[in-house]
Amino acid sequence: MFRNVAELLELANSQNKKISEIMIEQEVTVTGRKREEVLSFMDRNLTVMEQAVERGLKGVTSHSGLTGGDAVLLQKYIEKGNFLSGETILDAVSKAVATNEVNAAMGTICATPTAGSAGVVPGTLFAVKNKLNPTREQMISFLFTSGAFGFVVANNASISGAAGGCQAEVGSAAGMAAAAIVEMAGGTPAQCAEAMAITLKNMLGLVCDPVAGLVEVPCVKRNAMGAANAMVAADMALAGITSRIPCDEVIDAMYRIGQSMPTALKETAQGGLAATPTGRALESKIFGIPLKEK
Amino acid sequence: MKYRSVFDIIGPVMIGPSSSHTAGAARIGRVARSLFGREPKWANISLYGSFAKTYKGHGTDVAIVGGLLDFDTDDTRIIHAIDIAKQKGMKLRFIEEDAVTDHPNTARVIMGDHNGELELVGISIGGGKIEIIELNGFELKLSGNHPAILVVHNDRFGAIASVANILAKYELNIGHMEVARKDIGKMALMTIEVDQNIDDKILIELEQLPNILKVTKIVD
């Protein structure tokens, strides 16, 4: 089993294989499942992601009413053609938002790596799909590559907002997505790791401060920006830009930052945006309880 | 290494909104249900840390009850789990605890019916993955690296050997094993980590052995 990104790259380079392939082979070895089983299980997850994006693009609203409909707004805006940043990036953002709006509405999603960060990987995948026209097999590989980097983060740092803040959730998801975009676009395993490092570096310190404890505000928009971050970092890595701090050390930094982050900013709804006057007012309105001094 | 499978990262397929607070919570409830072996008539659920602060927003309470009803993480009935439980006459109590636990997402489930009770403490470590750290007052020391079999049994001679014999028959290699009991001759717990995946038919065969009360597995 690879324990860190350096070992993952060593395996890929020495065997001249893609990162997705290393992940598939490890899964077969560790679980004892057949290769076809492993692939078809991931295919099923891909289908769930596809359906969540489709549902979100039709427009959903959460039970609290805090989130919903933004994916639709952005798609309409893209159609008008007067956007400033770029079509693929906005498409990724819109599809990431779509997924998380479905999640907030207690819809069915696939955690990647968590539910609160479930939008980033599928958002970028289905946007890049329109640009690169991948086969179904390549789309499944995208998820294995994401999974390989998420696997390293989960085992060496954290993918839990309660344990490490949002940097551990959307930060990890964005890094995973960036690496997978690079592989799908034909980049090397090393470039995948650079993309992951560049992305995660720019998510360090991100706190988990959900208003009313709901996975809605600011989670949905953090997924949006996670997707945008992943797209840009992937392009930077494909351009040959490298991270001065190696990927494994960035992951380690993320872990240590998470450890030193105060509890109020780790999914307790006690600090940050959750503790703003508007955040508190929304909380009391949603749960029908009077505002209390905190 | 706490995470072993790529599907711990890309997955599970689940009902939103939170993998740790909803899917993980449902899994804690479902392991409790599986260890209890039947639907409980009542359950007292204590929530700690982030679970205590945000359970309403995340549906953590709903999800644990969904697990007690044997619903999987992607079962849409989870959304209505508390209503379904109440219709079935299940008595539920939720307690927001102030105590600081080692892990921020900790839940203690005490449940039972006229035939018995079960107490379990689970933690949700991220991405829907959980660990059970306490069962009926027995501290569990599972590394989480390997599939594990939990065997609740009467503290009698031969019970451990009979379980080991079945595992040998199916060529399951034991990597780590612990036996804990509270009093001589009373209930005891075997915790067995094995290297291979555990087929359900092995669990059924173990359960049929004398003095074995309940068998379940923790990681698939």
Side-chain angles (χ1 to χ4, degrees):
Chain A
M1 263 205 271
F2 56 85
R3 287 168 299 181
N4 50 43
V5 173
E7 289 181 7
L8 175 60
L9 290 187
E10 171 59 26
L11 284 171
N13 290 332
S14 64
Q15 299 174 35
N16 199 20
K17 284 174 183 163
K18 288 180 176 174
I19 282 166
S20 49
E21 182 57 30
I22 300 293
M23 187 73 249
I24 294 167
E25 287 174 7
Q26 174 170 299
E27 186 69 17
V28 169
T29 310
V30 168
T31 63
R33 288 188 181 132
K34 289 195 185 77
R35 185 188 172 90
E36 305 80 72
E37 254 181 289
V38 170
L39 292 177
S40 85
F41 202 77
M42 195 60 96
D43 194 320
R44 187 191 72 128
N45 286 355
L46 178 60
T47 303
V48 169
M49 293 177 203
E50 236 168 354
Q51 289 166 347
V53 167
E54 278 170 26
R55 196 179 151 203
L57 289 180
K58 284 181 194 149
V60 286
T61 310
S62 70
H63 300 295
S64 71
L66 277 181
T67 53
D70 288 350
V72 176
L73 283 180
L74 197 50
Q75 281 295 333
K76 283 184 182 158
Y77 176 78
I78 296 169
E79 278 164 28
K80 283 189 199 154
N82 293 324
F83 46 81
L84 302 171
S85 52
E87 185 163 1
T88 312
I89 234 182
L90 289 179
D91 194 31
V93 167
S94 153
K95 286 168 178 168
V97 168
T99 303
N100 277 84
E101 287 181 341
V102 168
N103 181 58
M106 288 191 97
T108 305
I109 54 96
C110 178
T112 55
T114 66
S117 59
V120 180
V121 169
T124 52
L125 169 56
F126 292 110
V128 171
K129 180 191 173 205
N130 292 342
K131 186 93 179 172
L132 299 175
N133 296 314
T135 61
R136 182 85 182 170
E137 202 184 350
Q138 286 170 318
M139 291 175 72
I140 291 167
S141 292
F142 186 102
L143 299 179
F144 280 106
T145 306
S146 303
F149 283 92
F151 182 82
V152 171
V153 177
N155 280 316
N156 293 284
S158 173
I159 53 167
S160 157
C166 193
Q167 54 164 7
E169 294 207 25
V170 172
S172 302
M176 289 157 57
I181 298 164
V182 168
E183 182 177 295
M184 185 177 268
T188 64
Q191 285 175 324
C192 294
E194 298 297 348
M196 164 90 193
I198 292 167
T199 309
L200 190 55
K201 283 201 293 191
N202 288 286
M203 292 268 173
L204 289 180
L206 198 60
V207 301
C208 181
D209 51 355
V211 168
L214 299 165
V215 190
E216 301 200 44
V217 177
C219 319
V220 173
K221 290 189 187 77
R222 291 228 173 110
N223 272 267
M225 300 317 284
N229 202 327
M231 293 291 304
V232 175
D235 268 331
M236 287 169 73
L238 287 164
I241 296 172
T242 58
S243 169
R244 292 293 173 270
I245 310 294
C247 194
D248 283 317
E249 291 183 35
V250 176
I251 292 169
D252 187 49
M254 190 270 270
Y255 175 65
R256 284 182 285 108
I257 291 166
Q259 291 292 95
S260 52
M261 205 178 264
T263 309
L265 300 175
K266 289 195 279 194
E267 209 168 351
T268 52
Q270 291 189 313
L273 296 171
T276 57
T278 302
R280 286 287 178 228
L282 288 168
E283 180 183 18
S284 77
K285 190 179 157 206
I286 290 161
F287 295 127
I289 44 169
L291 272 173
K292 48 184 173 182
E293 297 291 322
K294 296 241 176 180
Chain B
M1 306 236 301
K2 286 174 180 286
Y3 295 78
R4 289 165 41 85
S5 166
V6 69
F7 298 109
D8 291 335
I9 310 298
I10 308 297
V13 170
M14 54 166 283
I15 306 302
S18 168
S19 52
S20 53
H21 292 61
T22 319
R27 283 174 164 175
I28 289 171
R30 201 159 182 230
V31 171
R33 156 70 183 255
S34 154
L35 284 163
F36 192 57
R38 56 195 183 274
E39 206 159 86
K41 291 284 175 215
W42 57 267
N44 294 336
I45 299 160
S46 297
L47 303 167
Y48 299 83
S50 175
F51 266 10
K53 301 289 181 208
T54 65
Y55 74 96
K56 280 181 192 157
H58 285 126
T60 307
D61 48 351
V62 183
I64 292 179
V65 174
L68 295 180
L69 293 169
D70 208 21
F71 298 163
D72 204 350
T73 56
D74 63 348
D75 192 322
T76 51
R77 289 176 297 176
I78 279 182
I79 300 167
H80 308 292
I82 288 184
D83 293 336
I84 296 170
K86 282 182 180 161
Q87 279 163 23
K88 289 183 165 193
M90 198 188 287
K91 288 203 172 64
L92 299 168
R93 201 157 79 90
F94 297 95
I95 306 134
E96 294 171 34
E97 302 279 1
D98 287 326
V100 176
T101 46
D102 287 342
H103 196 279
N105 296 333
T106 301
R108 178 183 298 271
V109 182
I110 306 175
M111 56 193 237
D113 60 14
H114 51 275
N115 283 323
E117 287 184 20
L118 178 136
E119 180 175 356
L120 169 147
V121 179
I123 59 174
S124 182
I125 64 169
K129 201 165 164 61
I130 63 157
E131 289 175 9
I132 303 302
I133 57 169
E134 201 184 304
L135 178 65
N136 288 336
F138 298 118
E139 199 177 313
L140 295 189
K141 286 186 195 133
L142 292 171
S143 68
N145 288 351
H146 302 281
I149 304 171
L150 298 184
V151 182
V152 181
H153 62 106
N154 291 320
D155 182 30
R156 302 274 191 285
F157 61 85
I160 297 167
S162 65
V163 169
N165 276 335
I166 302 247
L167 297 185
K169 187 174 91 183
Y170 287 100
E171 298 181 349
L172 282 180
N173 191 35
I174 299 174
H176 179 83
M177 178 165 177
E178 276 184 16
V179 183
R181 64 178 185 188
K182 288 175 190 162
D183 288 307
I184 296 171
K186 297 283 171 56
M187 196 165 75
L189 175 73
M190 272 182 251
T191 311
I192 308 163
E193 283 189 353
V194 294
D195 295 332
Q196 295 85 0
N197 278 312
I198 308 149
D199 201 311
D200 283 339
K201 74 177 177 190
I202 301 173
L203 301 186
I204 293 164
E205 198 167 327
L206 288 173
E207 214 155 65
Q208 285 160 354
L209 292 168
N211 285 315
I212 303 301
L213 304 174
K214 189 67 214 159
V215 182
T216 197
K217 62 178 174 183
I218 281 211
V219 199
D220 61 27

